[in-house]
Amino acid sequence: MTDVQVGRGRGRHLGLALLGVVGTTVLFALFARLEAHWLALGWVAMVPWLAALDRARSSREALGLGVLLSVTFTAVVFHWFPAALQAYSRAPTVVGWALFLMVAPLLQLQFAAAALARYAARRLVGEGRTWLPPLAGTLAYVGTEGITPKLFADTLGHGLYASEWLRQGADVAGAPGLTLVLLLGNECVLAALRAWRGQGARQVWRPVAGLAALVLMLSGYGTLRIAQVRAATRDDGGLVVGAVQANITRYEKLRAEMGAYEVVRMVLDTHYAMSDALLRDGPLDLLVWPETVYPTPFGSPRSETGARLDAEIANFVSERGVPLVFGTYDLEGEREFNAAMFLGPSVGGVLERAVYRKTMLFPLTEWVPDAIDSPALREWFPWTGRWKRGPGPQSVSLKLRDGRLLRVAPLICYDTIFPAYVAGGVRQGAELLLTLSNDSWFMGTPAPRLHLMHAAFRSIETRRPQVRVTNSGVSALIDTTGAVVAEVDDDQRAGLTMRVPGTASLPTLALAWGDWLSPLALVGTVVLLVGARRRRSAPRP
């Protein structure tokens, strides 16, 4: 064989590998839109990359395919993030892109782990036990995602949100459980294509039947759970919540143009007026304003003006006789927290008050770990946050205007990304998820809808309804099937009356056991690979 032929062979091999990465990346870009007409792509999106991976000639090549897909996946699915980072930090967009793509292999570590596990299993079993490499790769993928420090806790299973039936399976093992089913479905499709090419139509039926069984199993379970949720929904004992989305954003810019007091005055007057409009439409059990709507410490005023504004909010609650939850800051000595303040109508002349402090802060932009915090870091990155982390999930009791006691799991923005965190509040007895958020940095991008989708999965996993109120959208009422029952869209100003039906609690495995799938998948990967190695090393009779 001549050098030219060898070069051509290598070039063709490289071209096919890159084509596999490109094919999967394009399919991911469409599937990640979370639209029903792209839903089927989730069952085939991995096929081009898996086919390329099975042609890898070395572990280094397999790893390279995994790393490359992590970068292209990040670029097409989260293309909006560098611009949002620029809007927040004023750093050049090109810097945001460079940093984002540099850390992509760490944020999407599951691709590299699956590639290496699949390659190792293929080398160990040779041509036998063809089911082992796909299974090892699938388990490595799911298991690695559970330990990967992802900024957005993303997983392929989120793409099934567009199907009311299929997404219900998240109450078993969260969205990662849906990812497991999707990956197995992709393996069935790849096996069917290979069977058709190598053995003809007679052998295709087995992987096709496997794919059909996965879809029918997930759909059947979803149908059953939806029926159970509807049976548990009561006509009485509901809750009427007034949500205010004023669409006032970019406080820093407004402060520079108008002055600090004028901005706070405008924000409060707008929320008072919109709240009163909701109250005129009918009685409310609860009023909710979004995250950091009152951008100064409540209850710890820094000036006489601040004290007057605090008293004004308290008087508003007392005069209307309706509990209010709103985003503000909370102080403890020199430590400042992003907080949700609960104010209830006065009992015996004393205003009821409780506070929740946000715990899951976005790295650097909201919070800097003490281990790396320094004056030099603050000088290099002046936009780094100074908030401190709260103590963790909690359930807050709130007395409604009719005397009923409501227990809610308060969440602020980034808190909703983390299933285990949300479940922690529900395990303390919460009947309702109450989320305050500020998504204004992502206006005009897919991010507000992606954030809403994450919130919906928390309601599925815990089978708790959710009231979600944001400053600029998307504010929504989410029921226990994850359906958005009512909403105010991105970049809109509106008040919304949310009627939350009474719902008996339903047990879920995701709530009881938490993230049980990821560690089990990691153990399963190790067991499969070690077992295959031992069988290969065992002496033959």
Side-chain angles (χ1 to χ4, degrees), residues 431-442:
E431 309 159 65
L432 174 74
L433 305 182
L434 181 60
T435 300
L436 314 184
S437 191
N438 176 359
D439 290 351
S440 62
W441 303 106
F442 309 112

Side-chain angles (χ1 to χ4, degrees), residues 352-408:
E352 291 194 347
R353 174 179 164 183
V355 65
Y356 163 76
R357 294 170 173 176
K358 181 179 179 182
T359 299
M360 309 306 287
L361 301 174
F362 201 85
L364 295 183
T365 57
E366 291 187 316
W367 162 73
V368 177
D370 292 339
I372 64 172
D373 197 1
S374 66
L377 179 72
R378 300 286 180 177
E379 183 178 354
W380 295 337
F381 304 107
W383 42 266
T384 49
R386 297 182 180 275
W387 277 325
K388 300 302 180 182
R389 299 184 67 183
Q394 66 184 87
S395 175
V396 174
S397 294
L398 184 65
K399 184 174 289 186
L400 305 179
R401 62 184 303 165
D402 61 2
R404 283 182 296 160
L405 198 64
L406 176 70
R407 293 187 66 84
V408 304

Side-chain angles (χ1 to χ4, degrees), residues 139 141-147 173 176 514-524:
L139 293 178
Y141 186 108
V142 174
T144 303
E145 275 199 322
I147 60 173
D515 181 21
W516 60 269
L517 180 60
S518 296
L520 187 64
L522 284 176
V523 171

Side-chain angles (χ1 to χ4, degrees), residues 39-54:
L39 186 68
L41 296 184
W43 300 97
V44 300
M46 292 281 284
V47 170
W49 181 71
L50 293 173
L53 190 60
D54 284 344

Side-chain angles (χ1 to χ4, degrees), residues 273-297:
M274 295 180 69
S275 298
D276 282 337
L278 289 171
L279 287 166
R280 284 193 297 269
D281 289 339
L284 300 175
D285 295 310
L286 177 65
L287 268 171
V288 185
W289 297 350
E291 177 187 11
T292 59
V293 66
Y294 185 54
T296 188

